[in-house]
Amino acid sequence: MSEHLIARARDSRALTPVGRKAPRRRWPSFELRMMLPALLVLVLITVLPFIMLIAMSFAKVRLLGGVSLSMNGFGNWSDVLTDPATWHSWGVTLLFFVLAVGMEMIVGTVLALILNSMRRGQSLAFSLVLLPMFLAPITVGLLGNFLLDPTIGLYSWVMESLHLVGAHQSVFGSQTTAMLAVTTLDMWEWAPLVALIVLAGLTSVSPSVLEAASVDGAGYLRTLFSIVIPSILPVLLVALLVRSMDAVRYYDIVHITTGGGPANTTWVISLQLNEKVQATAVDGITTLIGQSAVIGITMLVFTIIIANVFVRVLDRRGLMK
């Protein structure tokens, strides 16, 4: 009897309300057909160029008479990985990465805390803080060149008055200050983004918990490091991830201000990539395009490693659920 009932229930699930069998879903489904144009565009602008990039990293590329590839194995990889200039540019990039991202996280978090504590004029102050973020990086570089000009720059005059630099000394022309100058410009532009992300996280901190900590006699610093920072830690890690992935591709400001100098002090990996591409564009038959592809792939791998590290940190802390 029970087997008969089970069979009838199975048959009833296979029937429509009018007693007919439900038609099988066709493949591709309606949703997939609607998404297909967007997927094709995505493949054209991402997947195919990436495949071409990998192919060029193992080939000699000729531009005259049309683009053509002739495979040369790991020759490009060997040339790049044994090039001292490339390793030097990676060292400079890592130095910039630590300084810029560290400064942006500290300054951005402090700005967010100040804005969150304001009771009047918060909207106006928030708008002013976010202004640098909406400027193009090349504009920031030009502005930095003007403000730090050794003859007419306002900031150069202030630093000379405070005896921080010598008279008519170029901040971008000194090996001791060039990296700090370009790092500060990048921090000025992107610390507001960190502040925006952290400020959004501060709104999730429970006011009742802060009030209880105040009643228990906890000071501001203890409340900050014992309650606020642990509560917004996922947001801080997200901000750190966003800025870390972007710092690896740093190019515009350093290209406009120092051009990689003085003495290659600010020669980041993106400038090394650009140099090989520009050298390729001169004669059109050089193999430097393949080496440029190798550098681009290493930058991508470095970015993926950074992303995976932060995702694992979030996952271990149970913040990915």
Side-chain angles (χ1 to χ4, degrees):
M1 182 66 180
S2 59
E3 294 180 357
H4 179 68
L5 292 175
I6 292 175
R8 289 188 60 183
R10 189 183 301 116
D11 293 338
S12 63
R13 287 196 300 266
L15 297 177
T16 62
V18 295
R20 293 179 298 181
K21 289 187 177 181
R24 294 183 179 179
R25 297 192 63 180
R26 296 181 179 180
W27 193 93
S29 62
F30 173 76
E31 295 83 358
L32 183 59
R33 291 198 299 271
M34 294 297 294
M35 293 174 57
L36 191 58
L39 293 176
L40 291 177
V41 172
L42 185 63
V43 169
L44 289 176
I45 65 177
T46 58
V47 178
L48 293 182
F50 180 65
I51 295 174
M52 188 65 180
L53 183 70
I54 295 177
M56 288 191 299
S57 69
F58 294 99
K60 295 180 181 179
V61 183
R62 299 178 63 91
L63 300 178
L64 297 180
V67 178
S68 61
L69 304 180
S70 57
M71 294 299 169
N72 67 338
F74 290 91
N76 295 329
W77 288 86
S78 176
D79 293 339
V80 170
L81 296 179
T82 57
D83 183 15
T86 301
W87 287 108
H88 170 76
S89 61
W90 269 114
V92 174
T93 301
L94 291 177
L95 176 61
F96 168 80
F97 178 86
V98 174
L99 291 177
V101 175
M103 292 171 61
E104 289 164 8
M105 292 299 300
I106 294 174
V107 174
T109 303
V110 171
L111 287 174
L113 292 172
I114 294 175
L115 291 172
N116 188 61
S117 63
M118 294 178 64
R119 294 296 177 262
R120 293 183 179 180
Q122 186 185 50
S123 299
L124 177 60
F126 185 65
S127 301
L128 294 175
V129 167
L130 292 183
L131 278 179
M133 189 177 67
F134 297 105
L135 297 176
I138 192 170
T139 304
V140 175
L142 293 173
L143 183 62
N145 268 338
F146 175 75
L147 293 175
L148 294 173
D149 186 271
T151 56
I152 62 173
L154 174 62
Y155 291 169
S156 293
W157 176 78
V158 171
M159 287 187 290
E160 288 180 15
S161 302
L162 297 176
H163 302 287
L164 298 177
V165 297
H168 301 294
Q169 178 183 351
S170 175
V171 176
F172 293 120
S174 173
Q175 297 185 32
T176 57
T177 58
M179 175 60 74
L180 183 60
V182 297
T183 303
T184 304
L185 287 175
D186 186 72
M187 180 272 297
W188 178 76
E189 181 178 16
W190 294 113
L193 176 61
V194 178
L196 178 63
I197 298 174
V198 175
L199 187 60
L202 289 173
T203 59
S204 64
V205 180
S206 175
S208 60
V209 176
L210 298 178
E211 185 177 350
S214 177
V215 171
D216 291 340
Y220 178 78
L221 292 179
R222 185 170 183 179
T223 303
L224 176 63
F225 290 103
S226 299
I227 298 177
V228 177
I229 297 298
S231 299
I232 65 172
L233 185 59
V235 178
L236 289 174
L237 289 175
V238 170
L240 185 60
L241 174 61
V242 171
R243 289 307 307 141
S244 298
M245 295 176 65
D246 190 59
V248 180
R249 304 188 300 270
Y250 184 67
Y251 174 79
D252 305 78
I253 295 178
V254 68
H255 175 69
I256 292 296
T257 54
T258 65
N264 290 339
T265 306
T266 58
W267 190 263
V268 291
I269 189 63
S270 57
L271 288 178
Q272 180 74 3
L273 172 62
N274 179 70
E275 182 189 46
K276 291 186 178 295
V277 173
Q278 293 296 331
T280 300
V282 174
D283 53 28
I285 58 175
T286 182
T287 60
L288 293 180
I289 284 186
Q291 297 181 24
S292 303
V294 173
I295 295 177
I297 293 174
T298 56
M299 294 173 65
L300 176 62
V301 170
F302 184 76
T303 304
I304 293 174
I305 291 174
I306 293 175
N308 285 333
V309 168
F310 286 117
V311 168
R312 288 188 178 184
V313 171
L314 289 169
D315 186 50
R316 288 181 180 178
R317 292 181 177 271
L319 304 175
M320 292 292 292
K321 298 178 181 180

